[in-house]
Amino acid sequence: RYGILGPNGQGKTTLLRHIAAREMPVPVNWDVILVEQEAKATERSAVEEVLAADLRAAELIKREAELLQKLEDIETDMEQGKDISAEEVERTRTDLESTSAELEAIGA
């Protein structure tokens, strides 16, 4: 973990934005996440705040939770004898696998 200190207006944030966007040479094995200087107080933990700063990861985590809930709902419906198509089950499982794989690929 690194931080940059210096007077206001000297380009620290701009430099970090370029590094985070990989517009400057950055080793491939580095994980670069830029968290804004001033974060508003919330009920989220520090880890949740960092994950929320990565919008794509946050979207994928939300999607994964929705798909898991959908599979649970499908299972409940099937136990109650409701007619659930095999295509719907397979589509939900495929979406979940894809979402989970993308989360793993981005290290979330």
Side-chain angles (χ1 to χ4, degrees):
R1 297 182 187 144
Y2 293 92
I4 298 176
L5 301 174
N8 289 340
Q10 299 300 307
K12 298 179 300 293
T13 301
T14 301
L15 174 64
L16 290 173
R17 284 184 180 141
H18 285 293
I19 292 171
R22 298 195 180 268
E23 294 171 354
M24 299 181 70
V26 177
V28 177
N29 62 336
W30 283 16
D31 292 326
V32 181
I33 300 172
L34 178 61
V35 180
E36 290 299 321
Q37 297 175 24
E38 302 295 328
K40 295 177 185 168
T42 69
E43 295 297 318
R44 293 189 288 204
S45 70
V47 171
E48 291 169 334
E49 283 293 336
V50 170
L51 288 174
D54 184 346
L55 297 178
R56 182 64 183 149
E59 290 171 2
L60 289 168
I61 289 168
K62 181 181 175 188
R63 178 75 177 140
E64 183 180 50
E66 291 169 350
L67 291 166
L68 286 168
Q69 183 61 54
K70 185 174 181 179
L71 281 175
E72 287 180 21
D73 293 346
I74 288 172
E75 183 178 342
T76 301
D77 288 348
M78 290 173 72
E79 288 171 355
Q80 295 175 354
K82 294 183 180 174
D83 188 29
I84 305 295
S85 72
E87 292 82 17
E88 181 181 2
V89 174
E90 185 58 30
R91 184 175 51 251
T92 303
R93 285 185 179 157
T94 301
D95 288 350
L96 179 59
E97 288 173 5
S98 173
T99 301
S100 297
E102 190 171 348
L103 276 166
E104 186 175 334
I106 65 172

